[in-house]
């Protein structure tokens, strides 16, 4: 004879231990697959996509921005020649650290690197990566002028200008998806824009304004940014970082208005003799 009471007890125990958890798991999986992921869930996409890293450019955290900057830096180091002169890099890093401590985004681990290139130029990517050409170091008359250019490039990072350009390029070229861009796509677009494409009028004005504010808080001379821009504007060939729209004369006027509205007595970095001696000693 079958012991029905015992059978029912065992069946209910089996339901509690195995059947109900399996049903719950099935429902949870169905909900995950059918419900759109919120933007904050994109941090987990690399795991879901079997290691394919995806960047959601419209909603990047500071950590993701720094990570993207590092990956772009790896690519850039194959495109440009980073100086191995430890004294020169240390000097530029020292100036950068002073500015970074007074920037609008002091939580970003800024990285300042010297590029061995005679062209008077500087550029920045994302996540705190700033690049200064040796040609620009030689063109500056004092440390404050050099700091003004570094501050300007930091202004692009503060305003996330490159990320906005990358998003526009990705949409225009049709490579952007609902999840964002793959690592290789994001790095490729970012490097191309950093090296070959000028900023917009609005971005240049914004970087100038942010850079001047950082320069002022760091105690450097405000007029150094204006004087350096005016001096380079008078050259027969306009440097790359000044050849973008708007023109340098319009940017100078905007800077002078900002200085007049928020004057400062800071005059650090105007010692031309010491600066020139340092540069001559550092550069071959």
């Amino acid at each position: 004879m079958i012991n029905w009471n015992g059978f029912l007890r065992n069946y209910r125990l089996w339901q509690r231990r195995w059947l109900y958890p399996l049903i719950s798991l099935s429902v949870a999986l169905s909900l995950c697959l059918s419900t759109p992921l919120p933007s904050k869930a994109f941090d987990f996409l690399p795991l879901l996509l079997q290691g394919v890293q995806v960047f959601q450019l419209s909603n990047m955290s500071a950590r993701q921005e720094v990570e993207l900057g590092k990956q772009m830096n790896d690519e850039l180091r194959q495109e440009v020649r980073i100086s191995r002169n430890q004294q020169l890099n240390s000097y530029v890093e020292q100036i950068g650290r002073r500015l970074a401590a007074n920037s609008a985004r002091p939580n970003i681990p800024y990285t300042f690197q010297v590029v061995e290139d005679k062209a008077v130029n500087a550029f920045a990517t994302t996540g705190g990566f700033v690049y200064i050409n040796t040609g620009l170091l030689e063109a500056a008359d004092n440390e404050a002028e050099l700091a003004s250019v570094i501050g300007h490039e930091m202004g692009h990072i503060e305003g996330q200008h490159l990320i906005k350009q990358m998003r526009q390029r990705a949409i225009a070229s049709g490579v952007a998806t609902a999840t964002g861009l793959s690592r290789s796509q994001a790095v490729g677009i970012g490097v191309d824009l950093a090296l070959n494409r000028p900023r917009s009028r609005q971005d240049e004005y914004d970087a100038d304004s942010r850079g001047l504010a950082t320069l002022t808080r760091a105690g450097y001379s405000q007029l150094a940014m204006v004087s350096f821009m005016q001096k380079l504007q008078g050259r027969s060939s306009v440097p790359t970082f000044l050849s973008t729209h708007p023109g340098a004369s319009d940017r100078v006027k905007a800077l002078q208005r900002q200085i007049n509205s928020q004057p400062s007595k800071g005059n650090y970095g105007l010692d031309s003799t010491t600066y020139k001696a340092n540069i001559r000693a550092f550069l071959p």
Side-chain angles (χ1 to χ4, degrees):
M1 179 179 293
I2 298 176
N3 186 350
W4 290 105
N5 290 332
F7 175 82
L8 290 174
R9 282 197 302 271
N10 291 334
Y11 177 74
R12 292 192 184 98
L13 180 62
W14 178 79
Q15 280 184 318
R16 287 196 300 269
R17 287 184 177 179
W18 299 104
L19 183 60
Y20 292 158
L22 285 173
I23 293 173
S24 299
L25 179 60
S26 299
V27 172
L29 287 173
S30 299
L31 289 174
C32 288
L33 293 174
S34 61
T35 304
L37 288 171
S39 59
K40 290 184 179 179
F42 283 115
D43 283 343
F44 300 102
L45 279 177
L47 296 177
L48 298 177
L49 298 178
Q50 297 180 345
V52 178
Q53 193 167 25
V54 174
F55 289 102
Q56 177 54 261
L57 298 178
S58 62
N59 189 28
M60 291 188 72
S61 66
R63 180 187 62 78
Q64 291 172 319
E65 189 178 338
V66 172
E67 183 180 356
L68 177 57
K70 289 179 180 178
Q71 294 176 353
M72 290 176 62
N73 182 64
D74 291 340
E75 185 71 22
L76 276 165
R77 292 178 75 92
Q78 301 177 36
E79 302 289 334
V80 300
R81 186 177 179 182
I82 302 296
S83 174
R84 295 184 179 181
N85 188 320
Q86 293 184 353
Q87 286 182 306
L88 183 60
N89 279 293
S90 178
Y91 177 61
V92 173
E93 183 82 10
Q94 177 184 336
I95 299 171
R97 289 281 165 248
R98 180 177 183 133
L99 292 168
N102 293 278
S103 72
R105 299 183 71 185
N107 60 313
I108 291 182
Y110 282 92
T111 301
F112 305 92
Q113 298 178 82
V114 176
V115 177
E116 292 187 357
D117 192 324
K118 291 295 184 181
V120 181
N121 193 28
F123 61 95
T125 56
T126 70
F129 286 83
V130 177
Y131 304 82
I132 305 294
N133 281 12
T134 52
L136 191 141
L137 292 169
E138 294 175 331
D141 282 333
N142 53 56
E143 185 176 307
E145 288 186 346
L146 171 58
S148 72
V149 178
I150 297 176
H152 171 88
E153 296 305 327
M154 291 172 63
H156 282 305
I157 293 173
E158 289 179 11
Q160 296 183 309
H161 297 156
L162 182 62
I163 294 175
K164 295 174 185 176
Q165 278 189 297
M166 290 171 63
R167 184 164 63 245
Q168 292 168 356
R169 168 74 72 83
I171 293 173
S173 59
V175 298
T177 66
T179 57
L181 291 177
S182 69
R183 173 194 175 278
S184 60
Q185 289 173 326
V187 171
I189 291 175
V191 169
D192 179 59
L193 288 171
L195 292 177
N196 305 314
R197 298 293 185 273
R199 309 291 188 188
S200 68
R201 170 188 289 267
Q202 181 180 355
D203 286 351
E204 290 299 339
Y205 279 132
D206 187 46
D208 283 344
S209 178
R210 291 173 182 272
L212 180 62
T214 299
L215 194 74
T216 302
R217 288 191 294 266
Y220 283 105
S221 169
Q222 292 177 315
L223 294 176
M225 181 174 277
V226 173
S227 65
F228 193 45
M229 201 172 291
Q230 288 176 324
K231 178 179 64 180
L232 295 180
Q233 184 186 7
R235 288 191 167 197
S236 56
S237 59
V238 180
T240 305
F241 82 104
L242 282 184
S243 62
T244 56
H245 197 69
S249 59
D250 292 332
R251 291 168 62 183
V252 165
K253 291 176 183 177
L255 286 170
Q256 288 176 328
R257 287 194 296 270
Q258 185 176 345
I259 291 172
N260 292 337
S261 64
Q262 296 178 329
S264 169
K265 295 181 179 179
N267 60 358
Y268 184 79
L270 294 177
D271 186 347
S272 178
T273 303
T274 301
Y275 175 78
K276 288 296 185 181
N278 285 336
I279 294 303
R280 282 195 299 269
F282 296 153
L283 293 175

